[in-house]
mmCIF file with all atom_site columns, all heavy atoms in Angstrom:
data_model
loop_
_atom_site.group_PDB
_atom_site.id
_atom_site.type_symbol
_atom_site.label_atom_id
_atom_site.label_alt_id
_atom_site.label_comp_id
_atom_site.label_asym_id
_atom_site.label_entity_id
_atom_site.label_seq_id
_atom_site.pdbx_PDB_ins_code
_atom_site.Cartn_x
_atom_site.Cartn_y
_atom_site.Cartn_z
_atom_site.occupancy
_atom_site.B_iso_or_equiv
_atom_site.pdbx_formal_charge
_atom_site.auth_seq_id
_atom_site.auth_comp_id
_atom_site.auth_asym_id
_atom_site.auth_atom_id
_atom_site.pdbx_PDB_model_num
ATOM 1  N N   . PHE A 1 7   ? 1.184   17.487 5.820  1.00 97.00 ? 7   PHE A N   1
ATOM 2  C CA  . PHE A 1 7   ? 1.300   18.183 7.105  1.00 97.00 ? 7   PHE A CA  1
ATOM 3  C C   . PHE A 1 7   ? 1.683   17.140 8.161  1.00 97.00 ? 7   PHE A C   1
ATOM 4  O O   . PHE A 1 7   ? 1.057   17.006 9.198  1.00 97.00 ? 7   PHE A O   1
ATOM 5  C CB  . PHE A 1 7   ? -0.009  18.886 7.465  1.00 97.00 ? 7   PHE A CB  1
ATOM 6  C CG  . PHE A 1 7   ? -0.563  19.705 6.328  1.00 97.00 ? 7   PHE A CG  1
ATOM 7  C CD1 . PHE A 1 7   ? -1.632  19.261 5.582  1.00 97.00 ? 7   PHE A CD1 1
ATOM 8  C CD2 . PHE A 1 7   ? 0.023   20.920 5.999  1.00 97.00 ? 7   PHE A CD2 1
ATOM 9  C CE1 . PHE A 1 7   ? -2.138  20.008 4.523  1.00 97.00 ? 7   PHE A CE1 1
ATOM 10 C CE2 . PHE A 1 7   ? -0.466  21.677 4.937  1.00 97.00 ? 7   PHE A CE2 1
ATOM 11 C CZ  . PHE A 1 7   ? -1.556  21.217 4.198  1.00 97.00 ? 7   PHE A CZ  1
ATOM 12 N N   . ALA A 1 36  ? 10.472  18.915 12.642 1.00 98.00 ? 36  ALA A N   1
ATOM 13 C CA  . ALA A 1 36  ? 9.503   17.822 12.615 1.00 98.00 ? 36  ALA A CA  1
ATOM 14 C C   . ALA A 1 36  ? 9.851   16.829 11.513 1.00 98.00 ? 36  ALA A C   1
ATOM 15 O O   . ALA A 1 36  ? 9.811   15.609 11.715 1.00 98.00 ? 36  ALA A O   1
ATOM 16 C CB  . ALA A 1 36  ? 8.095   18.375 12.412 1.00 98.00 ? 36  ALA A CB  1
ATOM 17 N N   . GLY A 1 51  ? 8.604   18.002 0.876  1.00 96.00 ? 51  GLY A N   1
ATOM 18 C CA  . GLY A 1 51  ? 8.696   19.430 1.099  1.00 96.00 ? 51  GLY A CA  1
ATOM 19 C C   . GLY A 1 51  ? 7.338   20.098 1.230  1.00 96.00 ? 51  GLY A C   1
ATOM 20 O O   . GLY A 1 51  ? 6.354   19.487 1.653  1.00 96.00 ? 51  GLY A O   1
ATOM 21 N N   . ASP A 1 52  ? 7.271   21.352 0.855  1.00 96.00 ? 52  ASP A N   1
ATOM 22 C CA  . ASP A 1 52  ? 6.064   22.169 0.965  1.00 96.00 ? 52  ASP A CA  1
ATOM 23 C C   . ASP A 1 52  ? 4.959   21.596 0.082  1.00 96.00 ? 52  ASP A C   1
ATOM 24 O O   . ASP A 1 52  ? 5.185   21.301 -1.103 1.00 96.00 ? 52  ASP A O   1
ATOM 25 C CB  . ASP A 1 52  ? 6.406   23.597 0.526  1.00 96.00 ? 52  ASP A CB  1
ATOM 26 C CG  . ASP A 1 52  ? 5.299   24.590 0.816  1.00 96.00 ? 52  ASP A CG  1
ATOM 27 O OD1 . ASP A 1 52  ? 4.119   24.182 0.863  1.00 96.00 ? 52  ASP A OD1 1
ATOM 28 O OD2 . ASP A 1 52  ? 5.603   25.782 0.978  1.00 96.00 ? 52  ASP A OD2 1
ATOM 29 N N   . ARG A 1 103 ? -8.063  15.789 -6.486 1.00 97.00 ? 103 ARG A N   1
ATOM 30 C CA  . ARG A 1 103 ? -8.677  15.999 -7.804 1.00 97.00 ? 103 ARG A CA  1
ATOM 31 C C   . ARG A 1 103 ? -7.793  15.451 -8.919 1.00 97.00 ? 103 ARG A C   1
ATOM 32 O O   . ARG A 1 103 ? -8.292  14.885 -9.905 1.00 97.00 ? 103 ARG A O   1
ATOM 33 C CB  . ARG A 1 103 ? -8.944  17.486 -8.000 1.00 97.00 ? 103 ARG A CB  1
ATOM 34 C CG  . ARG A 1 103 ? -9.904  17.798 -9.133 1.00 97.00 ? 103 ARG A CG  1
ATOM 35 C CD  . ARG A 1 103 ? -10.223 19.287 -9.189 1.00 97.00 ? 103 ARG A CD  1
ATOM 36 N NE  . ARG A 1 103 ? -11.074 19.695 -8.072 1.00 97.00 ? 103 ARG A NE  1
ATOM 37 C CZ  . ARG A 1 103 ? -10.688 20.495 -7.086 1.00 97.00 ? 103 ARG A CZ  1
ATOM 38 N NH1 . ARG A 1 103 ? -9.425  20.947 -7.044 1.00 97.00 ? 103 ARG A NH1 1
ATOM 39 N NH2 . ARG A 1 103 ? -11.518 20.835 -6.130 1.00 97.00 ? 103 ARG A NH2 1
ATOM 40 N N   . ARG A 1 175 ? -24.674 3.222  4.080  1.00 71.00 ? 175 ARG A N   1
ATOM 41 C CA  . ARG A 1 175 ? -24.551 3.414  5.521  1.00 71.00 ? 175 ARG A CA  1
ATOM 42 C C   . ARG A 1 175 ? -23.133 3.879  5.834  1.00 71.00 ? 175 ARG A C   1
ATOM 43 O O   . ARG A 1 175 ? -22.229 3.762  5.012  1.00 71.00 ? 175 ARG A O   1
ATOM 44 C CB  . ARG A 1 175 ? -24.836 2.102  6.274  1.00 71.00 ? 175 ARG A CB  1
ATOM 45 C CG  . ARG A 1 175 ? -23.892 0.973  5.926  1.00 71.00 ? 175 ARG A CG  1
ATOM 46 C CD  . ARG A 1 175 ? -24.259 -0.319 6.665  1.00 71.00 ? 175 ARG A CD  1
ATOM 47 N NE  . ARG A 1 175 ? -23.364 -1.410 6.319  1.00 71.00 ? 175 ARG A NE  1
ATOM 48 C CZ  . ARG A 1 175 ? -22.187 -1.634 6.893  1.00 71.00 ? 175 ARG A CZ  1
ATOM 49 N NH1 . ARG A 1 175 ? -21.759 -0.810 7.834  1.00 71.00 ? 175 ARG A NH1 1
ATOM 50 N NH2 . ARG A 1 175 ? -21.437 -2.652 6.533  1.00 71.00 ? 175 ARG A NH2 1
ATOM 51 N N   . LYS A 1 265 ? -16.333 32.194 40.243 1.00 86.00 ? 265 LYS A N   1
ATOM 52 C CA  . LYS A 1 265 ? -17.014 32.756 41.406 1.00 86.00 ? 265 LYS A CA  1
ATOM 53 C C   . LYS A 1 265 ? -16.153 32.624 42.651 1.00 86.00 ? 265 LYS A C   1
ATOM 54 O O   . LYS A 1 265 ? -16.059 33.539 43.469 1.00 86.00 ? 265 LYS A O   1
ATOM 55 C CB  . LYS A 1 265 ? -18.356 32.064 41.605 1.00 86.00 ? 265 LYS A CB  1
ATOM 56 C CG  . LYS A 1 265 ? -19.223 32.677 42.693 1.00 86.00 ? 265 LYS A CG  1
ATOM 57 C CD  . LYS A 1 265 ? -20.587 32.013 42.730 1.00 86.00 ? 265 LYS A CD  1
ATOM 58 C CE  . LYS A 1 265 ? -21.470 32.650 43.806 1.00 86.00 ? 265 LYS A CE  1
ATOM 59 N NZ  . LYS A 1 265 ? -22.817 32.024 43.849 1.00 86.00 ? 265 LYS A NZ  1
ATOM 60 N N   . THR A 1 301 ? 1.628   24.140 21.352 1.00 88.00 ? 301 THR A N   1
ATOM 61 C CA  . THR A 1 301 ? 3.041   24.224 20.965 1.00 88.00 ? 301 THR A CA  1
ATOM 62 C C   . THR A 1 301 ? 3.889   24.949 22.001 1.00 88.00 ? 301 THR A C   1
ATOM 63 O O   . THR A 1 301 ? 5.088   24.720 22.094 1.00 88.00 ? 301 THR A O   1
ATOM 64 C CB  . THR A 1 301 ? 3.173   24.943 19.618 1.00 88.00 ? 301 THR A CB  1
ATOM 65 O OG1 . THR A 1 301 ? 2.541   26.233 19.701 1.00 88.00 ? 301 THR A OG1 1
ATOM 66 C CG2 . THR A 1 301 ? 2.497   24.139 18.519 1.00 88.00 ? 301 THR A CG2 1
ATOM 67 N N   . MET A 1 303 ? 3.461   24.741 25.305 1.00 87.00 ? 303 MET A N   1
ATOM 68 C CA  . MET A 1 303 ? 3.564   23.796 26.407 1.00 87.00 ? 303 MET A CA  1
ATOM 69 C C   . MET A 1 303 ? 3.855   24.474 27.735 1.00 87.00 ? 303 MET A C   1
ATOM 70 O O   . MET A 1 303 ? 4.948   24.399 28.271 1.00 87.00 ? 303 MET A O   1
ATOM 71 C CB  . MET A 1 303 ? 4.618   22.735 26.116 1.00 87.00 ? 303 MET A CB  1
ATOM 72 C CG  . MET A 1 303 ? 4.085   21.322 26.222 1.00 87.00 ? 303 MET A CG  1
ATOM 73 S SD  . MET A 1 303 ? 3.018   21.002 27.645 1.00 87.00 ? 303 MET A SD  1
ATOM 74 C CE  . MET A 1 303 ? 4.182   21.128 28.970 1.00 87.00 ? 303 MET A CE  1
ATOM 75 N N   . THR A 1 311 ? 4.861   17.273 46.646 1.00 64.00 ? 311 THR A N   1
ATOM 76 C CA  . THR A 1 311 ? 4.567   18.640 47.094 1.00 64.00 ? 311 THR A CA  1
ATOM 77 C C   . THR A 1 311 ? 5.244   19.678 46.220 1.00 64.00 ? 311 THR A C   1
ATOM 78 O O   . THR A 1 311 ? 5.431   20.819 46.640 1.00 64.00 ? 311 THR A O   1
ATOM 79 C CB  . THR A 1 311 ? 5.031   18.829 48.547 1.00 64.00 ? 311 THR A CB  1
ATOM 80 O OG1 . THR A 1 311 ? 6.436   18.579 48.628 1.00 64.00 ? 311 THR A OG1 1
ATOM 81 C CG2 . THR A 1 311 ? 4.273   17.916 49.476 1.00 64.00 ? 311 THR A CG2 1
ATOM 82 N N   . GLY A 1 335 ? 16.584  13.421 15.516 1.00 98.00 ? 335 GLY A N   1
ATOM 83 C CA  . GLY A 1 335 ? 16.145  13.624 14.154 1.00 98.00 ? 335 GLY A CA  1
ATOM 84 C C   . GLY A 1 335 ? 17.303  13.430 13.196 1.00 98.00 ? 335 GLY A C   1
ATOM 85 O O   . GLY A 1 335 ? 18.461  13.327 13.617 1.00 98.00 ? 335 GLY A O   1
#
Side-chain angles (χ1 to χ4, degrees):
F7 312 104
D52 190 333
R103 196 175 289 112
R175 61 182 179 85
K265 187 174 181 179
T301 56
M303 235 317 292
T311 59

